[in-house]
Amino acid sequence: MTSRTRGPRFALPPHRPPAFTGPLHDARTATALGRWLGAAFAVCFVTGLVSHYLQHPPSWLADDLPTRPVWGYRLTQGLHIATGLAAIVLLLAKLWTVYPRLFTWPPVRSARHALERLSVAVLVAAAVFQVFTGLLNIVEWYPWAFSFVPAHFAVAWIAAGSILLHVAVKAPEIRAHWSRDAAGTLGAPAEETADRRSLLLGVGAAVGVVTVTTVGQALTPLKALDLLAPRHPDHGPQGLPVNRTAAAAGVSAHGLGEWRLEVVGPRPYTLTLAALRALPRTRARLPVACVEGWSVDADWSGVPIRDLVERAGGRPGAAALRVTSLEVVGAYRVMEMGAEYADDPLTLLALTLDGQPLSLDHGFPARIIAPDRPGVLQTKWVHRLEVL
Ligand SMILES: Nc1nc2c(c(=O)[nH]1)N[C@H]1C(S)=C(S)[C@@H](COP(=O)(O)O)O[C@H]1N2
Ligand SMILES: [Mo]
């Protein structure tokens, strides 16, 4: 392993690299952890793409996003956050296993070796960046100058590309150490195998603890165990969490007496709150599924958006909608929804939550609630709809 065994003393390089003798810094351990880490990153990548394209669909897709199942986004985003949190533990374990290679001597043996090391450096940087920014995002702490969403999205591609490259370069080693009795692993001393099993069990237990203490933020049957997630599904006004409060959005009860719903289209009109309340309503049980991982089902009632659109002269099934909030400034003040959402009978301008009028923090007087949509697009404090 070390250069000590390779020839006379005077031939040693001037900076002797540290020697690592622990048997768990080996290819079998790296492969066993790498498989789980790769699986976690794959789920994160795919669910992240789902989240991105639901929020920023390319124009050819904008009117054909799926509105069913109603809990689709709840599931994909719950998985995104759960696998992302698990990946933190797996990444730390994997980095510990391979870190002796950082001290490889000589640092560069050939052009190929240099490229391989460079690709690993990119991979590690991208992976650490993704889990770190993702974690800070779920606690809503942004100690950096860039914008989280575009950065997290761009680096996801770098991470995915460098993982694919890494798997391709390491394919022979991965194959040789894939299973406990694969060629490269057979014949290892029994105590080494036992040590490895303990390490893998420990990592598995840590992943289990992290998952069980956070997943209840979305998987509500486990909410009693949700000790570490930043949001608890029951904590908030009307028993539902709030990401952006009315105060933070600059909306106050003051002045809402003058509130009117303004609907712009071929036949524009305005409605007072009393007039809006008098329209036929629909009830729907739909989740708020926050991109930050928490989600809760609730009973909503309100006026179907498609009724409001039709009344403004919008063509049923063909009209997209722009929704504007009373919010003063904020990234989610204006939201657009494609025709498939605008036309869905479950997409509501909601007036009540669990049978009570919306509280100010949940979007009083009226908010959007639509099936299979990211929470950021469930616009609160709506005052204007434009048929597009
Ligand atoms: N106008 C406006 N609506 C908004 C937001 C916002 O910042 N501004 N935040 C959204 C986010 S991130 C989520 S998760 C949901 C949460 O809804 P709730 O606060 O009623 O639980 O509201 C959405 N509606
Ligand atoms: Mo959210």
Side-chain angles (χ1 to χ4, degrees):
M1 232 340 272
T2 69
S3 39
R4 209 182 310 139
T5 54
R6 257 193 235 138
R9 235 186 128 73
F10 56 81
L12 285 176
H15 305 290
R16 189 139 59 108
F20 296 93
T21 51
L24 297 182
H25 299 295
D26 67 334
R28 165 66 191 149
T29 313
T31 305
L33 289 169
R35 287 188 311 200
W36 290 107
L37 184 57
F41 272 138
V43 173
C44 271
F45 184 69
V46 172
T47 53
L49 288 187
V50 168
S51 185
H52 181 84
Y53 289 112
L54 282 179
Q55 289 175 68
H56 309 283
S59 54
W60 56 269
L61 194 65
D63 289 318
D64 295 294
L65 294 173
T67 61
R68 295 291 182 281
V70 300
W71 41 262
Y73 186 74
R74 186 176 187 192
L75 177 69
T76 61
Q77 197 60 11
L79 277 174
H80 186 78
I81 303 300
T83 49
L85 290 171
I88 297 177
V89 178
L90 294 167
L91 182 60
L92 289 173
K94 173 90 201 239
L95 289 177
W96 175 81
T97 297
V98 298
Y99 88 93
R101 296 185 195 205
L102 200 57
F103 305 96
T104 300
W105 202 265
V108 171
R109 282 196 301 271
S110 62
R112 196 197 127 98
H113 185 224
L115 274 177
E116 192 193 315
R117 297 203 77 192
L118 183 68
S119 76
V120 171
V122 172
L123 167 57
V124 171
V128 168
F129 181 88
Q130 286 305 82
V131 297
F132 184 70
T133 53
L135 179 66
L136 293 196
N137 180 59
I138 66 178
V139 294
E140 295 188 89
W141 183 33
Y142 304 101
W144 49 64
F146 54 85
S147 182
F148 167 75
V149 175
H152 198 69
F153 180 66
V155 177
W157 290 97
I158 300 174
S162 52
I163 288 171
L164 286 181
L165 184 65
H166 184 65
V167 170
V169 168
K170 296 285 183 190
E173 273 193 76
I174 295 172
R175 201 174 306 121
H177 297 94
W178 184 257
S179 70
R180 208 174 306 145
D181 27 55
T185 313
L186 270 187
E191 75 201 76
E192 188 183 312
T193 307
D195 280 356
R196 187 177 304 112
R197 188 171 307 133
S198 309
L199 174 73
L200 296 180
L201 277 175
V203 171
V207 167
V209 168
V210 166
T211 303
V212 164
T213 53
T214 53
V215 80
Q217 65 174 330
L219 190 67
T220 33
L222 292 186
K223 65 185 177 187
L225 301 173
D226 169 23
L227 303 171
L228 296 182
R231 292 292 191 298
H232 191 278
D234 289 344
H235 295 178
Q238 298 180 285
L240 197 83
V242 168
N243 257 30
R244 191 156 172 86
T245 60
V251 177
S252 74
H254 220 73
L256 281 177
E258 259 101 90
W259 182 88
R260 297 284 181 280
L261 177 69
E262 193 184 334
V263 186
V264 181
R267 292 196 304 271
Y269 58 92
T270 53
L271 293 172
T272 61
L273 183 54
L276 182 63
R277 281 181 174 148
L279 295 179
R281 289 202 217 169
T282 295
R283 296 174 57 105
R285 187 159 178 83
L286 294 174
V288 171
C290 182
V291 297
E292 285 148 25
W294 63 266
S295 59
V296 196
D297 263 338
D299 284 313
W300 307 90
S301 89
V303 181
I305 285 292
R306 69 174 181 186
D307 294 358
L308 295 167
V309 166
E310 217 174 318
R311 193 175 154 143
R315 261 202 305 136
L321 194 70
R322 180 178 300 132
V323 178
T324 308
S325 168
L326 287 175
E327 182 173 2
V328 190
V329 276
Y332 304 110
R333 193 177 74 85
V334 179
M335 172 277 279
E336 284 183 14
M337 62 166 75
E340 76 295 352
Y341 286 106
D343 194 49
D344 194 287
L346 294 183
T347 300
L348 308 179
L349 186 62
L351 300 170
T352 74
L353 162 55
D354 291 332
Q356 302 297 316
L358 292 174
S359 68
L360 194 56
D361 279 339
H362 286 306
F364 179 86
R367 76 172 299 163
I368 296 291
I369 188 81
D372 193 19
R373 284 211 109 193
V376 285
L377 303 179
Q378 310 283 28
T379 311
K380 302 193 277 194
W381 315 290
V382 170
H383 83 116
R384 187 177 154 96
L385 304 176
E386 285 164 81
V387 178
L388 303 176

